[in-house]
């Protein structure tokens, strides 16, 4: 158990819908990262937050957004969902910007 | 150009043998971090080992060691005395501009395509 929690574990929704994925980092970790894992794109970095502020952006679509709250949990919002958004979405956390990143168990999103 | 290259899509190894999983990287940064993760069939990503570009010693964590050759830009993972439970996908990853911002850090990880390791009894 990495100490990073993600909910829900599985999510099935229809095209055009909007969903919210939630992540709680390990105790004491200030940085939260979101990643997407799909068969065709592999593992891709989406976005990073540090202590409530956006710090780095990767291959995140405009239809996707994220935020980190004062209690340091983070949410990833995915809207106008398409079939190609079906993937495993991971959250990871670290103390700062150096060293290990620990991953949560992931949320498997299926868009039908 | 790919930043992380894992040239072995799949490997079969006999139990108790040592395993070397290859990883080469491409960066012009002086400060970067290299990571290895294990992903079993259950799907979770398990952190194995980390090497900073300025670390002089090769990283070790139990049965895992990272053979870091900076001039060759390679960061191979060595698993000693393999076990059946080591069967999984293994991903090499890099973070550039390591520690570029005080506290907040630099960026997310860039992953390779992975190596599927199967340990045979």
């Amino acid at each position: 158990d990495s100490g990073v929690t993600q909910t829900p574990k599985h999510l099935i929704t229809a095209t055009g819908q909007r969903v919210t994925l939630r992540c709680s980092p390990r105790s004491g970790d200030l940085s939260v990262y979101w990643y997407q894992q799909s068969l065709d794109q592999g593992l891709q970095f989406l976005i990073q937050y540090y202590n409530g502020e956006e710090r780095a952006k990767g291959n995140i679509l405009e239809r996707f957004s994220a935020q980190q709250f004062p209690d340091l949990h983070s949410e990833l919002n995915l809207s106008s969902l398409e079939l190609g958004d079906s993937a495993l979405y991971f959250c990871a956390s670290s103390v700062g910007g150096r060293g290990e990143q620990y991953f949560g168990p992931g949320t498997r999103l299926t868009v039908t | 150009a790919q930043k992380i290259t894992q040239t072995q899509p799949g490997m079969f190894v006999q139990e108790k043998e040592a395993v070397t999983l290859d990883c080469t990287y491409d960066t012009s940064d002086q400060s970067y971090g290299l990571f290895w993760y294990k992903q079993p069939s259950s799907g979770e990503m398990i952190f194995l080992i980390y090497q900073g570009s300025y670390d002089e010693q090769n990283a070790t964590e139990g049965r895992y060691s990272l053979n870091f050759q900076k001039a060759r830009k390679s960061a191979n993972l060595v698993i000693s005395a393999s076990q059946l439970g080591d069967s999984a996908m293994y991903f090499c990853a890099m973070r550039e501009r390591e520690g570029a911002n005080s506290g907040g850090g630099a960026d997310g990880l860039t992953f390779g395509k992975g190596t599927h390791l199967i340990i045979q009894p």
Side-chain angles (χ1 to χ4, degrees):
Chain A
D1 185 349
S2 67
V4 180
T5 61
Q6 288 187 249
T7 56
K9 194 164 183 175
H10 300 277
L11 199 48
I12 301 174
T13 189
T15 54
Q17 295 298 305
R18 173 189 169 94
V19 297
T20 298
L21 313 183
R22 184 189 168 104
C23 166
S24 291
R26 294 188 318 155
S27 177
D29 285 358
L30 299 178
S31 271
V32 168
Y33 307 78
W34 286 97
Y35 294 87
Q36 179 196 58
Q37 185 178 31
S38 61
L39 281 174
D40 50 346
Q41 301 284 342
L43 267 157
Q44 289 195 101
F45 165 64
L46 296 178
I47 196 164
Q48 177 204 358
Y49 278 82
Y50 174 77
N51 204 20
E53 291 186 7
E54 183 185 303
R55 276 303 176 108
K57 258 185 174 176
N59 297 321
I60 189 165
L61 299 171
E62 284 192 13
R63 300 184 285 110
F64 297 180
S65 64
Q67 54 184 326
Q68 187 180 26
F69 294 87
D71 67 353
L72 301 177
H73 90 270
S74 178
E75 292 180 356
L76 179 68
N77 300 297
L78 315 176
S79 61
S80 304
L81 285 167
E82 302 174 359
L83 296 177
D85 297 328
S86 296
L88 190 50
Y89 290 84
F90 286 107
C91 165
S93 75
S94 66
V95 171
R98 292 183 55 83
E100 304 89 340
Q101 284 186 24
Y102 292 92
F103 280 65
T107 293
R108 185 167 295 280
L109 173 67
T110 303
V111 182
T112 61
Chain B
Q2 281 192 44
K3 291 203 170 190
I4 297 286
T5 302
Q6 294 181 254
T7 56
Q8 306 149 311
M11 281 185 76
F12 289 87
V13 172
Q14 287 296 119
E15 191 180 6
K16 296 182 185 148
E17 288 184 355
V19 181
T20 297
L21 303 181
D22 294 341
C23 173
T24 57
Y25 60 91
D26 182 26
T27 181
S28 55
D29 283 353
Q30 296 301 308
S31 181
Y32 51 90
L34 297 158
F35 302 72
W36 277 93
Y37 287 86
K38 172 184 178 182
Q39 186 175 39
S41 57
S42 51
E44 71 265 36
M45 292 288 288
I46 301 168
F47 168 76
L48 296 178
I49 199 164
Y50 164 82
Q51 177 90 39
S53 58
Y54 287 116
D55 295 339
E56 298 202 352
Q57 302 279 346
N58 283 347
T60 60
E61 291 284 349
R63 292 188 299 116
Y64 304 107
S65 60
L66 198 152
N67 184 1
F68 180 44
Q69 297 189 40
K70 200 168 181 175
R72 291 179 147 190
K73 292 190 175 177
S74 80
N76 297 341
L77 177 71
V78 180
I79 306 174
S80 63
S82 58
Q83 302 170 356
L84 296 177
D86 293 333
S87 294
M89 284 291 292
Y90 288 80
F91 292 95
C92 179
M94 176 175 65
R95 179 171 56 215
E96 297 174 288
R97 299 181 295 126
E98 184 82 339
N101 302 321
S102 58
D107 216 332
L109 303 180
T110 301
F111 285 86
K113 293 188 184 303
T115 295
H116 190 191
L117 176 65
I118 297 174
I119 308 297
Q120 297 176 310

